[in-house]
Amino acid sequence: MKRTLTDMAVVITGASSGIGEALTRQLHRQGARLFLAARRVDRLESLKRELGSRVEILRCDVAIEADCQHLIDAAYATFGRIDTLVCNAGSGLVRDAAKTDRATFRQIMEVNLFGTSDCIRAAVPRMREQTIREGLRGQLMIVSSAAARRGLPYLGAYSATKSAQLQYAEALRVELVDEKIAVTSVHPIGTRSEFMQRAEATSGEKIDVPGRRGGLEQTSERVAEIMARAVARPRRECWPFLPAWWGTSLLTAFPAWADWMMLRMRRRIDAERGGGGS
Ligand SMILES: NC(=O)c1ccc[n+]([C@@H]2O[C@H](COP(=O)([O-])OP(=O)(O)OC[C@H]3O[C@@H](n4cnc5c(N)ncnc54)[C@H](OP(=O)(O)O)[C@@H]3O)[C@@H](O)[C@H]2O)c1
Protein backbone atom coordinates (compact mmCIF):
# COMPACT_ATOMS: atom_id res chain seq x y z
CA MET A 1 0.00 0.00 0.00
CA LYS A 2 1.23 3.51 -0.81
CA ARG A 3 1.44 5.82 2.21
CA THR A 4 0.78 9.55 2.03
CA LEU A 5 3.92 11.54 2.78
CA THR A 6 1.97 14.67 3.69
CA ASP A 7 2.06 15.02 7.50
CA MET A 8 3.96 11.74 7.90
CA ALA A 9 6.17 11.87 11.03
CA VAL A 10 9.73 10.91 10.09
CA VAL A 11 12.86 10.77 12.26
CA ILE A 12 16.20 10.90 10.40
CA THR A 13 19.59 10.34 12.05
CA GLY A 14 22.65 11.76 10.30
CA ALA A 15 20.64 14.55 8.69
CA SER A 16 23.46 17.12 8.79
CA SER A 17 24.99 16.11 5.43
CA GLY A 18 24.93 13.76 2.45
CA ILE A 19 22.13 11.22 2.11
CA GLY A 20 20.35 12.24 5.33
CA GLU A 21 20.29 15.92 4.35
CA ALA A 22 19.11 15.09 0.82
CA LEU A 23 16.36 12.83 2.19
CA THR A 24 15.29 15.64 4.52
CA ARG A 25 14.82 17.99 1.56
CA GLN A 26 12.99 15.32 -0.48
CA LEU A 27 10.54 14.42 2.24
CA HIS A 28 10.04 18.04 3.26
CA ARG A 29 9.08 18.94 -0.32
CA GLN A 30 6.49 16.17 -0.14
CA GLY A 31 4.94 17.50 3.08
CA ALA A 32 6.40 15.23 5.78
CA ARG A 33 7.04 16.40 9.35
CA LEU A 34 10.69 15.82 10.18
CA PHE A 35 12.69 15.28 13.34
CA LEU A 36 16.38 15.57 12.48
CA ALA A 37 19.38 14.38 14.49
CA ALA A 38 23.16 14.65 14.20
CA ARG A 39 26.12 15.94 16.21
CA ARG A 40 26.78 19.05 14.09
CA VAL A 41 23.79 20.94 15.35
CA ASP A 42 24.81 24.17 13.55
CA ARG A 43 24.19 22.37 10.25
CA LEU A 44 20.79 21.18 11.46
CA GLU A 45 19.94 24.71 12.56
CA SER A 46 20.67 26.16 9.14
CA LEU A 47 18.66 23.36 7.47
CA LYS A 48 15.75 24.16 9.78
CA ARG A 49 16.08 27.90 8.99
CA GLU A 50 16.09 27.14 5.29
CA LEU A 51 13.13 24.74 5.31
CA GLY A 52 11.00 26.62 7.83
CA SER A 53 7.99 24.79 9.19
CA ARG A 54 7.59 21.05 9.93
CA VAL A 55 11.22 20.59 11.05
CA GLU A 56 12.50 19.87 14.55
CA ILE A 57 16.15 19.24 15.37
CA LEU A 58 18.12 17.63 18.16
CA ARG A 59 21.81 17.15 18.85
CA CYS A 60 22.35 13.40 19.10
CA ASP A 61 25.41 11.18 19.11
CA VAL A 62 24.08 7.77 18.12
CA ALA A 63 27.11 6.13 19.73
CA ILE A 64 25.59 7.14 23.08
CA GLU A 65 22.66 4.94 24.09
CA ALA A 66 20.95 7.67 26.16
CA ASP A 67 21.06 10.06 23.17
CA CYS A 68 19.21 7.50 21.02
CA GLN A 69 16.50 7.03 23.67
CA HIS A 70 16.20 10.81 24.12
CA LEU A 71 15.85 11.29 20.36
CA ILE A 72 12.97 8.84 20.08
CA ASP A 73 11.25 10.18 23.22
CA ALA A 74 11.54 13.78 21.97
CA ALA A 75 10.26 12.93 18.48
CA TYR A 76 7.33 10.95 19.88
CA ALA A 77 6.46 13.75 22.32
CA THR A 78 6.50 16.27 19.46
CA PHE A 79 4.60 14.33 16.80
CA GLY A 80 2.56 11.87 18.86
CA ARG A 81 3.77 9.06 16.59
CA ILE A 82 6.74 7.99 14.45
CA ASP A 83 5.73 6.74 11.02
CA THR A 84 9.26 6.13 9.78
CA LEU A 85 12.57 6.03 11.61
CA VAL A 86 15.52 6.34 9.23
CA CYS A 87 18.72 5.04 10.86
CA ASN A 88 21.12 6.71 8.48
CA ALA A 89 23.94 8.05 10.70
CA GLY A 90 27.16 6.28 9.86
CA SER A 91 30.87 6.63 9.45
CA GLY A 92 33.59 4.85 7.48
CA LEU A 93 37.05 3.51 8.17
CA VAL A 94 39.94 2.70 5.84
CA ARG A 95 42.13 0.07 7.52
CA ASP A 96 43.63 -3.39 6.87
CA ALA A 97 41.21 -5.89 8.40
CA ALA A 98 43.99 -7.61 10.36
CA LYS A 99 45.30 -4.31 11.73
CA THR A 100 41.96 -3.06 13.06
CA ASP A 101 42.32 -3.03 16.83
CA ARG A 102 39.45 -3.67 19.21
CA ALA A 103 38.97 -0.01 20.21
CA THR A 104 38.77 1.14 16.59
CA PHE A 105 36.46 -1.71 15.64
CA ARG A 106 34.27 -0.96 18.64
CA GLN A 107 34.07 2.74 17.71
CA ILE A 108 32.68 2.11 14.23
CA MET A 109 30.35 -0.63 15.50
CA GLU A 110 29.01 1.78 18.12
CA VAL A 111 28.02 4.32 15.50
CA ASN A 112 26.88 2.11 12.60
CA LEU A 113 25.39 -0.89 14.39
CA PHE A 114 24.58 0.08 18.00
CA GLY A 115 23.49 3.57 16.85
CA THR A 116 20.95 1.74 14.69
CA SER A 117 19.87 -0.89 17.20
CA ASP A 118 19.59 1.57 20.13
CA CYS A 119 17.30 3.89 18.15
CA ILE A 120 15.21 0.94 17.01
CA ARG A 121 15.00 -0.57 20.50
CA ALA A 122 13.66 2.78 21.74
CA ALA A 123 11.27 3.23 18.80
CA VAL A 124 9.61 -0.19 18.55
CA PRO A 125 7.58 0.06 21.83
CA ARG A 126 6.31 3.47 20.67
CA MET A 127 5.38 2.13 17.24
CA ARG A 128 3.55 -0.79 18.84
CA GLU A 129 1.29 1.71 20.66
CA GLN A 130 0.42 3.58 17.48
CA THR A 131 -2.75 3.18 15.48
CA ILE A 132 -2.39 1.72 12.01
CA ARG A 133 -2.04 4.46 9.39
CA GLU A 134 -2.50 3.38 5.76
CA GLY A 135 -1.70 -0.24 6.48
CA LEU A 136 1.24 0.17 8.86
CA ARG A 137 1.98 1.17 12.42
CA GLY A 138 5.43 2.26 11.36
CA GLN A 139 8.54 1.62 9.31
CA LEU A 140 12.16 1.12 10.34
CA MET A 141 14.56 2.08 7.57
CA ILE A 142 18.21 1.10 8.02
CA VAL A 143 20.83 2.64 5.76
CA SER A 144 23.30 -0.17 5.20
CA SER A 145 25.37 -0.41 2.00
CA ALA A 146 25.98 -2.52 -1.10
CA ALA A 147 29.09 -3.60 0.88
CA ALA A 148 26.73 -5.49 3.22
CA ARG A 149 26.73 -8.33 0.69
CA ARG A 150 30.47 -8.38 -0.04
CA GLY A 151 33.27 -7.17 2.21
CA LEU A 152 35.63 -4.74 0.48
CA PRO A 153 39.42 -4.87 0.93
CA TYR A 154 40.73 -2.22 3.32
CA LEU A 155 37.12 -1.50 4.32
CA GLY A 156 36.70 -4.74 6.29
CA ALA A 157 35.51 -3.30 9.61
CA TYR A 158 33.16 -0.89 7.82
CA SER A 159 31.79 -3.71 5.63
CA ALA A 160 31.26 -5.83 8.77
CA THR A 161 29.10 -3.09 10.35
CA LYS A 162 27.02 -2.80 7.17
CA SER A 163 26.60 -6.57 6.92
CA ALA A 164 25.56 -6.67 10.59
CA GLN A 165 22.96 -3.97 9.91
CA LEU A 166 21.52 -6.04 7.06
CA GLN A 167 21.25 -9.22 9.12
CA TYR A 168 19.74 -7.29 12.01
CA ALA A 169 17.17 -5.84 9.57
CA GLU A 170 16.34 -9.29 8.20
CA ALA A 171 15.65 -10.67 11.68
CA LEU A 172 13.63 -7.61 12.74
CA ARG A 173 11.48 -7.75 9.62
CA VAL A 174 10.23 -11.23 10.39
CA GLU A 175 9.78 -10.53 14.11
CA LEU A 176 7.72 -7.38 13.54
CA VAL A 177 5.63 -8.33 10.52
CA ASP A 178 2.52 -9.31 12.54
CA GLU A 179 2.64 -5.97 14.34
CA LYS A 180 2.50 -4.12 11.05
CA ILE A 181 5.93 -2.56 11.45
CA ALA A 182 7.83 -2.70 8.16
CA VAL A 183 11.61 -2.98 7.97
CA THR A 184 13.56 -1.72 4.96
CA SER A 185 17.32 -1.98 4.50
CA VAL A 186 18.93 0.48 2.07
CA HIS A 187 22.01 -0.45 0.02
CA PRO A 188 23.68 2.48 -1.70
CA ILE A 189 26.79 2.13 -3.84
CA GLY A 190 29.48 4.86 -3.69
CA THR A 191 27.54 8.08 -3.15
CA ARG A 192 28.78 11.65 -3.44
CA SER A 193 28.78 13.03 0.09
CA GLU A 194 31.29 13.88 2.82
CA PHE A 195 31.52 10.20 3.68
CA MET A 196 34.84 9.18 2.07
CA GLN A 197 36.66 12.43 2.93
CA ARG A 198 35.64 12.01 6.56
CA ALA A 199 36.57 8.30 6.56
CA GLU A 200 39.97 9.11 5.07
CA ALA A 201 40.53 11.94 7.54
CA THR A 202 39.72 9.66 10.49
CA SER A 203 41.82 6.83 9.12
CA GLY A 204 44.75 8.84 7.79
CA GLU A 205 44.49 6.62 4.68
CA LYS A 206 43.22 7.21 1.16
CA ILE A 207 41.42 4.62 -0.94
CA ASP A 208 39.62 4.47 -4.27
CA VAL A 209 36.61 2.21 -3.72
CA PRO A 210 34.94 0.44 -6.67
CA GLY A 211 32.68 2.52 -8.84
CA ARG A 212 34.04 5.95 -7.97
CA ARG A 213 36.64 5.97 -10.70
CA GLY A 214 34.29 4.39 -13.30
CA GLY A 215 31.76 7.19 -12.75
CA LEU A 216 29.29 4.80 -11.11
CA GLU A 217 28.92 7.04 -8.10
CA GLN A 218 25.44 8.34 -7.40
CA THR A 219 24.48 11.70 -5.97
CA SER A 220 22.98 11.89 -2.49
CA GLU A 221 19.93 13.48 -4.11
CA ARG A 222 19.39 10.45 -6.38
CA VAL A 223 19.76 8.03 -3.45
CA ALA A 224 17.34 10.15 -1.39
CA GLU A 225 14.80 10.23 -4.24
CA ILE A 226 14.68 6.43 -4.31
CA MET A 227 14.63 6.19 -0.51
CA ALA A 228 11.66 8.59 -0.41
CA ARG A 229 9.79 6.16 -2.69
CA ALA A 230 10.59 3.35 -0.25
CA VAL A 231 9.21 5.48 2.61
CA ALA A 232 5.97 5.98 0.70
CA ARG A 233 5.82 2.33 -0.38
CA PRO A 234 7.90 0.27 2.12
CA ARG A 235 9.78 -2.68 0.63
CA ARG A 236 12.26 -5.17 2.06
CA GLU A 237 15.38 -3.85 0.44
CA CYS A 238 16.02 -0.60 -1.35
CA TRP A 239 18.88 -0.60 -3.89
CA PRO A 240 19.28 2.93 -5.26
CA PHE A 241 21.47 1.53 -8.08
CA LEU A 242 19.66 -1.65 -9.09
CA PRO A 243 22.53 -3.28 -11.07
CA ALA A 244 24.44 -3.42 -7.76
CA TRP A 245 21.82 -5.88 -6.53
CA TRP A 246 22.53 -8.14 -9.49
CA GLY A 247 26.27 -7.63 -9.11
CA THR A 248 26.39 -8.47 -5.41
CA SER A 249 24.03 -11.44 -5.95
CA LEU A 250 26.50 -12.83 -8.49
CA LEU A 251 29.42 -12.17 -6.11
CA THR A 252 27.57 -14.15 -3.42
CA ALA A 253 26.71 -17.00 -5.78
CA PHE A 254 30.27 -17.29 -7.13
CA PRO A 255 32.64 -16.62 -4.21
CA ALA A 256 35.81 -17.72 -6.04
CA TRP A 257 35.09 -15.27 -8.85
CA ALA A 258 34.22 -12.63 -6.22
CA ASP A 259 37.60 -13.13 -4.52
CA TRP A 260 39.32 -12.77 -7.89
CA MET A 261 37.51 -9.48 -8.57
CA MET A 262 38.33 -8.17 -5.10
CA LEU A 263 41.96 -9.23 -5.43
CA ARG A 264 42.24 -7.21 -8.65
CA MET A 265 40.79 -4.27 -6.82
CA ARG A 266 43.19 -4.73 -3.90
CA ARG A 267 46.19 -4.90 -6.23
CA ARG A 268 45.11 -1.69 -7.96
CA ILE A 269 44.74 0.07 -4.60
CA ASP A 270 48.15 -1.26 -3.50
CA ALA A 271 49.75 -0.01 -6.73
CA GLU A 272 48.25 3.45 -6.23
CA ARG A 273 49.42 3.57 -2.66
CA GLY A 274 52.85 2.43 -3.77
CA GLY A 275 53.04 -0.81 -1.77
CA GLY A 276 51.07 -2.96 0.69
CA GLY A 277 48.17 -2.10 2.97
CA SER A 278 47.88 0.54 5.66
N1 LIG B 1 28.63 7.77 0.69
C1 LIG B 1 28.74 6.49 0.35
O1 LIG B 1 29.51 6.14 -0.56
C2 LIG B 1 27.89 5.45 1.04
C3 LIG B 1 27.74 4.20 0.42
C4 LIG B 1 26.96 3.22 1.05
C5 LIG B 1 26.36 3.49 2.27
N2 LIG B 1 26.52 4.72 2.85
C6 LIG B 1 25.88 4.97 4.16
O2 LIG B 1 25.03 6.07 4.07
C7 LIG B 1 24.90 6.69 5.36
C8 LIG B 1 25.03 8.19 5.22
O3 LIG B 1 26.33 8.49 4.74
P1 LIG B 1 26.63 9.73 3.77
O4 LIG B 1 27.19 9.17 2.51
O5 LIG B 1 25.49 10.65 3.69
O6 LIG B 1 27.88 10.38 4.55
P2 LIG B 1 28.05 11.78 5.31
O7 LIG B 1 27.79 12.91 4.38
O8 LIG B 1 29.38 11.69 5.97
O9 LIG B 1 26.89 11.75 6.41
C9 LIG B 1 26.97 10.96 7.56
C10 LIG B 1 25.95 11.48 8.55
O10 LIG B 1 26.02 10.65 9.72
C11 LIG B 1 26.15 11.48 10.85
N3 LIG B 1 26.89 10.82 11.91
C12 LIG B 1 28.12 10.24 11.87
N4 LIG B 1 28.46 9.79 13.08
C13 LIG B 1 27.44 10.10 13.92
C14 LIG B 1 27.20 9.91 15.30
N5 LIG B 1 28.10 9.30 16.10
N6 LIG B 1 26.03 10.36 15.82
C15 LIG B 1 25.11 10.98 15.05
N7 LIG B 1 25.28 11.19 13.72
C16 LIG B 1 26.43 10.76 13.18
C17 LIG B 1 26.85 12.73 10.36
O11 LIG B 1 26.50 13.83 11.19
P3 LIG B 1 27.43 14.52 12.30
O12 LIG B 1 28.85 14.30 11.92
O13 LIG B 1 26.99 15.96 12.25
O14 LIG B 1 27.04 13.85 13.57
C18 LIG B 1 26.23 12.91 8.98
O15 LIG B 1 25.03 13.61 9.07
C19 LIG B 1 25.96 6.03 6.24
O16 LIG B 1 25.33 5.08 7.09
C20 LIG B 1 26.87 5.31 5.25
O17 LIG B 1 27.47 4.15 5.81
C21 LIG B 1 27.27 5.70 2.27
Side-chain angles (χ1 to χ4, degrees):
M1 180 187 276
K2 191 162 191 275
R3 302 191 299 168
T4 316
L5 292 177
T6 309
D7 279 340
M8 186 185 275
V10 183
V11 179
I12 305 176
T13 67
S16 59
S17 62
I19 294 170
E21 181 184 347
L23 183 65
T24 296
R25 291 179 199 284
Q26 265 289 338
L27 293 176
H28 190 265
R29 266 199 296 279
Q30 300 189 56
R33 294 176 290 164
L34 301 166
F35 206 102
L36 311 177
R39 292 164 304 174
R40 289 171 299 178
V41 81
D42 53 318
R43 295 244 193 150
L44 297 180
E45 274 161 1
S46 61
L47 196 52
K48 181 177 162 70
R49 261 197 307 278
E50 179 200 319
L51 298 177
S53 61
R54 290 183 280 111
V55 178
E56 300 297 330
I57 60 169
L58 186 72
R59 190 194 182 281
C60 168
D61 181 345
V62 297
I64 300 171
E65 188 180 349
D67 275 20
C68 297
Q69 182 69 52
H70 181 51
L71 167 64
I72 299 302
D73 290 348
Y76 194 82
T78 304
F79 295 146
R81 61 183 293 129
I82 298 171
D83 290 301
T84 293
L85 164 65
V86 184
C87 296
N88 164 74
S91 58
L93 176 76
V94 182
R95 188 69 40 91
D96 287 29
K99 290 185 191 164
T100 310
D101 60 66
R102 181 183 284 242
T104 311
F105 219 131
R106 191 190 294 275
Q107 242 168 18
I108 191 168
M109 274 289 180
E110 276 179 355
V111 177
N112 295 4
L113 180 62
F114 304 153
T116 295
S117 60
D118 287 348
C119 287
I120 287 176
R121 199 174 52 256
V124 166
R126 301 296 201 177
M127 285 188 176
R128 281 189 173 125
E129 290 169 10
Q130 297 176 175
T131 53
I132 294 178
R133 176 186 185 266
E134 295 177 305
L136 285 179
R137 276 184 222 286
Q139 177 193 30
L140 304 167
M141 179 175 261
I142 298 177
V143 183
S144 169
S145 166
R149 292 236 187 268
R150 177 74 208 189
L152 300 171
Y154 305 130
L155 291 166
Y158 172 71
S159 303
T161 66
K162 295 286 132 179
S163 187
Q165 281 182 306
L166 167 61
Q167 309 231 339
Y168 175 66
E170 288 171 343
L172 271 176
R173 184 181 306 121
V174 176
E175 290 172 9
L176 297 175
V177 68
D178 293 338
E179 299 179 70
K180 303 246 175 274
I181 299 173
V183 179
T184 302
S185 58
V186 184
H187 303 275
I189 57 164
T191 305
R192 249 167 269 148
S193 70
E194 297 173 13
F195 181 78
M196 274 318 283
Q197 294 96 292
R198 293 184 91 190
E200 287 168 352
T202 314
S203 318
E205 284 290 331
K206 276 197 169 302
I207 194 172
D208 186 10
V209 294
R212 284 172 200 277
R213 171 198 305 246
L216 271 183
E217 248 189 350
Q218 290 189 303
T219 61
S220 292
E221 289 69 26
R222 178 65 183 148
V223 172
E225 199 183 310
I226 293 163
M227 284 171 69
R229 281 187 222 152
V231 172
R233 203 187 287 278
R235 58 185 92 139
R236 287 173 185 78
E237 292 187 7
C238 169
W239 288 75
F241 183 69
L242 199 55
W245 181 84
W246 290 102
T248 52
S249 300
L250 284 173
L251 291 174
T252 308
F254 301 103
W257 174 69
D259 278 358
W260 177 78
M261 297 274 293
M262 292 297 140
L263 184 57
R264 276 177 45 140
M265 184 180 126
R266 197 211 91 194
R267 294 213 196 288
R268 178 172 55 71
I269 295 169
D270 287 350
E272 277 170 8
R273 299 207 293 203
S278 51

